[in-house]
Amino acid sequence: MSDILWGPATGVGSMPGGDAREAAKTVTGSFEDFPYLPELPARGPGADMIGRTIGLLVEMYAHVEPSGWRVSDRPGRDTRRARSWLGEDLDALEEFTQGYEGPLKIQAVGPWTLAAALELRNGEAALGDPGACRDLAGSLAEGLRTHLADVRRRVPGAQVLVQLDEPSLTAVLRGQVHTASGYRTHRAVDRQVVESALRDVMAAADGPVTVHSCAPDVPFALLRRAGAEGVSFDFGLLTERDEEAIGEAVEGGTKLFAGVVASTDGPLSDPAGSVMGVRTLWRRLGLNPGTLAESVVITPTCGLAGASPAYARAALAHCVRAARSLADNPE
């Protein structure tokens, strides 16, 4: 485990709108202790989570079909657009993090959600081809290395954390990802194969990695074995079945990125109310309340792309206040 001191609150990734400077200004202004690189999927294909990560791949390319992203022989317009938007976002982040020293989060789609989303030339997901999955993980690892070097050069004082987005991971492990026809599902991928690919991609980060999933039944133990230092999840989806794994994670030093603030427009409760469930869980697990603030980072439940700009700003500010409430009154 790294000895980096993460900030008390941060965001998940996506923001509404299409203005990179406005998004970077909002994020760095909201999270002075733990900013992140915003994603703006409203700009279109290539700015979406999958397209942005495809733009990072080394010697693998894809283009947009009506059904989604499909492997290509060479980089086309869609890949170039993804890279151009990422460059724009990095320029904006660099502008608003001049002199910044501290943790900084960047996001990329993890190898299994990518394999479930990216189509091979025959229109089926790469997930159904073990060789394609290996190639994809290797290309992603290489691309992450290059991307990280660029971020570290642009924000030299930052300690960069990589967040791998894996919302499809549980479906991959359970054999619930549909084939192109929609009538069948791809068979479940062996847990050791899943763990191994994640470990290889995390190793490429050469620094701390957290894994985000806003799906139910996050495989906490598997992610920790693969090397994740943090797990980011929608707190509202936890069930009693998850509690033992969470207790073990906390005692093992894993950072919990607890999504407690709704990611779409709606009334925000008072900050203390937002983290009440976290305090209650701590008590139920018999954990020391004094460790709450150092074990938990407060976030929205998921990305904020579907929110209004005004709500997105309010939600980020609310995360900061909720984290402060947790630190001030852990009991």
Side-chain angles (χ1 to χ4, degrees):
M1 292 284 163
S2 65
D3 53 3
I4 294 174
L5 197 61
W6 303 122
T10 192
V12 172
S14 65
M15 292 285 285
D19 185 328
R21 289 188 76 253
E22 184 59 35
K25 184 180 174 186
T26 299
V27 164
T28 53
S30 302
F31 300 118
E32 293 172 5
D33 303 320
F34 201 173
Y36 64 96
L37 176 65
E39 299 161 358
L40 301 172
R43 293 181 295 199
D48 60 300
M49 184 170 92
I50 299 294
R52 167 173 283 213
T53 301
I54 283 168
L56 297 178
L57 298 178
V58 172
E59 292 178 4
M60 281 186 88
Y61 314 105
H63 64 278
V64 178
E65 292 276 341
S67 52
W69 286 87
R70 185 171 293 183
V71 166
S72 310
D73 291 328
R74 58 184 65 85
R77 186 185 59 201
D78 297 325
T79 304
R80 285 195 295 272
R81 193 167 47 203
R83 290 174 176 169
S84 167
W85 274 327
L86 177 59
E88 215 177 277
D89 294 340
L90 286 167
D91 288 345
L93 183 75
E94 185 177 356
E95 179 185 344
F96 288 102
T97 50
Q98 293 293 312
Y100 175 72
E101 294 183 354
L104 168 69
K105 182 165 73 69
I106 63 169
Q107 303 83 225
V109 175
W112 295 107
T113 296
L114 202 55
L118 180 60
E119 297 174 0
L120 300 178
R121 287 174 184 80
N122 63 4
E124 288 293 354
L127 185 64
D129 181 332
C133 289
R134 281 193 298 275
D135 290 347
L136 198 52
S139 176
L140 175 60
E142 206 49 53
L144 262 181
R145 279 192 194 97
T146 306
H147 181 39
L148 277 162
D150 187 21
V151 175
R152 287 170 178 144
R153 180 180 57 75
R154 289 167 177 268
V155 195
Q159 298 163 309
V160 185
L161 166 83
V162 174
Q163 173 184 304
L164 292 178
D165 290 314
E166 282 284 15
S168 301
L169 184 58
T170 301
V172 167
L173 289 165
R174 292 184 172 175
Q176 294 170 338
V177 177
H178 284 280
T179 57
S181 70
Y183 296 122
R184 294 187 306 113
T185 54
H186 290 280
R187 68 164 60 114
V189 181
D190 181 87
R191 294 182 85 84
Q192 285 179 311
V193 173
V194 168
E195 192 180 316
S196 172
L198 282 167
R199 187 179 293 112
D200 290 348
V201 173
M202 289 186 203
D206 190 28
V209 177
T210 188
V211 178
H212 169 72
S213 172
C214 45
D217 299 320
V218 176
F220 286 91
L222 183 151
L223 295 175
R224 292 177 57 229
R225 285 197 307 273
E229 294 205 15
V231 182
S232 169
F233 56 96
D234 179 341
F235 192 84
L237 296 179
L238 291 182
T239 67
E240 282 184 26
R241 282 201 313 273
D242 299 307
E243 291 189 3
E244 189 180 340
I246 285 186
E248 287 172 2
V250 171
E251 286 173 348
T254 303
K255 200 74 142 173
L256 301 182
F257 287 67
V260 298
V261 178
S263 55
T264 51
D265 291 42
L268 291 163
S269 72
D270 68 298
S274 295
V275 289
M276 193 189 305
V278 182
R279 288 195 187 95
T280 305
L281 175 64
W282 233 247
R283 275 200 299 274
R284 239 187 357 256
L285 292 174
L287 296 166
N288 173 6
T291 64
L292 251 177
E294 67 195 47
S295 300
V296 176
V297 177
I298 296 298
T299 72
T301 54
C302 206
L304 292 163
S308 65
Y311 178 81
R313 286 192 296 274
L316 298 186
H318 193 83
C319 287
V320 173
R321 288 197 294 272
R324 196 172 299 136
S325 161
L326 202 56
D328 292 347
N329 304 299
E331 305 281 354

